């Protein structure tokens, strides 16, 4: 009888040992799984942050859910083009490293300005910087916001002129053009996604820039009619724009208090 008790006790202890080993193994597995999940979440967050540097959040979410996106129509959006005066001549006088350093200095300041005003950066094309208000989230006040951002650009251009002159570096002067109207925005294709804008509004904004003057904001008559209550502007008359005929143009002088 004593031996039987001993055998039962031994079996019980063995079972407890096995249960204990299994329990702690399970705890270890759960901890390892939790650590792996944390790593996966961190990588997912990092991946989303990288995508947000390329695509608007709404477009990114649509791509993640459906694997593709649909370009959208916008009745009223405002496009800004900023382009460097005499860039070809300047680029011939600077080394590639000096040129990239200078462009980065200006475009980084522009990025900060549009981030402040929640304006969507579209792209940089060589020395041109393109952004737009009223997309991908529609808004009625986007002409005012984009013109205000353009004034922020001018302020940063002047700041960099002083800073780079003091440092013995080459500074740039920009022509800025703005137009408001209908456009289409979105992502097309299946590789190397890029959020872009299309339509005559984009072309017109580019013409406003081409018809402008250094360190001034040239806006179309269409944009002027939408912002004249908040910004003092100078009428330039009807000026010829490439492939557009004569267009009413205005220089933005200052905000109206």
């Amino acid at each position: 009888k004593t031996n039987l008790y001993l055998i039962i006790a031994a079996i019980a202890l063995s079972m407890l040992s096995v249960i204990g080993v299994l329990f702690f193994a399970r705890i270890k597995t759960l901890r390892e799984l939790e650590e792996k999940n944390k790593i996966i979440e961190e990588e997912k967050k990092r991946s989303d942050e990288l995508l947000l540097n390329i695509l608007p959040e709404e477009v990114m979410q649509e791509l993640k859910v459906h694997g593709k996106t649909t370009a959208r129509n916008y009745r009223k959006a405002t496009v800004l083009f900023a382009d460097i005066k005499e860039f070809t001549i300047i680029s011939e006088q600077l080394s590639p490293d000096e040129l990239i350093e200078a462009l980065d200095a200006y475009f980084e300041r522009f990025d900060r300005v549009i981030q402040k005003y929640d304006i969507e950066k579209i792209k940089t094309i060589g020395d041109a910087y393109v952004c737009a208000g009223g997309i991908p989230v529609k808004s009625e006040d986007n002409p005012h916001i984009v013109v205000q951002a353009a004034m922020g650009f001018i302020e940063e251009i002047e700041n960099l002129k002083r800073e780079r002159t003091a440092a013995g570096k080459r500074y740039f002067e920009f022509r800025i053009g703005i137009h408001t109207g209908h456009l289409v925005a979105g992502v097309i294709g299946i590789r190397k996604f890029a959020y872009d804008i299309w339509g005559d509004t984009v072309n017109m904004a580019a013409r406003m820039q081409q018809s402008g003057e250094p360190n001034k904001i040239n806006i179309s008559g269409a944009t002027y009619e939408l912002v004249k209550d908040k910004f003092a502007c100078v009428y330039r008359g009807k000026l010829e724009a490439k492939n557009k005929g004569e267009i009413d143009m205005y220089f933005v002088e200052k905000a109206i208090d």
Side-chain angles (χ1 to χ4, degrees), residues 96-114:
D97 287 341
E98 290 172 331
L99 187 63
I100 293 302
E101 181 277 328
L103 285 172
D104 187 58
Y106 282 88
F107 290 170
E108 182 179 318
R109 298 285 182 96
F110 292 175
D111 284 348
R112 291 177 182 173
V113 171
I114 67 169

Side-chain angles (χ1 to χ4, degrees), residues 176-196:
I176 297 176
I178 296 174
H179 178 65
T180 304
H182 168 263
L183 58 77
V184 176
V187 176
I188 57 176
I190 59 174
R191 297 190 61 197
K192 294 187 177 180
F193 295 130
Y195 187 73
D196 210 343

Side-chain angles (χ1 to χ4, degrees), residues 9-93:
I11 292 172
L13 286 172
S14 297
M15 291 179 66
L16 286 172
S17 297
V18 171
I19 292 170
V21 169
L22 292 173
F23 174 77
F24 286 111
R26 177 64 175 169
I27 293 296
K28 182 181 178 183
T29 300
L30 289 173
R31 285 177 178 172
E32 290 176 350
L33 185 60
E34 185 179 356
E35 288 298 319
K36 287 180 180 178
N37 285 337
K38 284 182 179 178
I39 293 172
I40 291 171
E41 284 300 317
E42 288 173 359
E43 289 299 322
K44 180 177 176 294
K45 182 180 178 182
R46 190 175 295 112
S47 176
D48 286 350
E49 288 173 350
L50 287 171
L51 278 173
L52 284 173
N53 274 328
I54 303 170
L55 303 171
E57 185 173 2
E58 292 80 1
V59 175
M60 182 192 75
Q61 295 298 340
E62 188 178 357
L63 274 173
K64 288 168 65 177
V65 173
H66 303 290
K68 62 180 296 183
T69 68
T70 302
R72 292 181 172 84
N73 280 282
Y74 293 86
R75 179 183 59 81
K76 186 173 80 173
T78 303
V79 180
L80 180 155
F81 271 76
D83 197 86
I84 297 172
K85 173 192 173 186
E86 298 179 344
F87 179 73
T88 302
I89 297 172
I90 294 172
S91 63
E92 292 172 352
Q93 299 170 350

Side-chain angles (χ1 to χ4, degrees), residues 108-212:
E108 182 179 318
R109 298 285 182 96
F110 292 175
D111 284 348
R112 291 177 182 173
V113 171
I114 67 169
Q115 185 176 15
K116 175 182 175 182
Y117 291 101
D118 199 24
I119 294 170
E120 191 68 30
K121 180 179 180 180
I122 304 301
K123 56 190 170 185
T124 56
I125 313 168
D127 63 316
Y129 187 100
V130 187
C131 60
I135 62 169
V137 179
K138 297 179 181 180
S139 65
E140 287 299 314
D141 62 346
N142 63 78
H144 299 94
I145 292 171
V146 173
V147 172
Q148 190 66 54
M151 295 181 73
F153 280 21
I154 297 296
E155 183 179 347
E156 291 299 343
I157 291 167
E158 295 297 332
N159 289 340
L160 280 165
K161 179 179 179 179
R162 290 190 294 271
E163 294 170 17
R164 295 182 70 81
T165 299
K169 295 180 179 180
R170 186 67 181 261
Y171 64 85
F172 295 151
E173 293 183 315
F174 283 79
R175 293 184 303 268
I176 297 176
I178 296 174
H179 178 65
T180 304
H182 168 263
L183 58 77
V184 176
V187 176
I188 57 176
I190 59 174
R191 297 190 61 197
K192 294 187 177 180
F193 295 130
Y195 187 73
D196 210 343
I197 52 179
W198 301 271
D200 191 58
T201 295
V202 182
N203 299 329
M204 188 67 80
R207 297 294 181 267
M208 292 303 103
Q209 175 273 125
Q210 292 165 1
S211 300

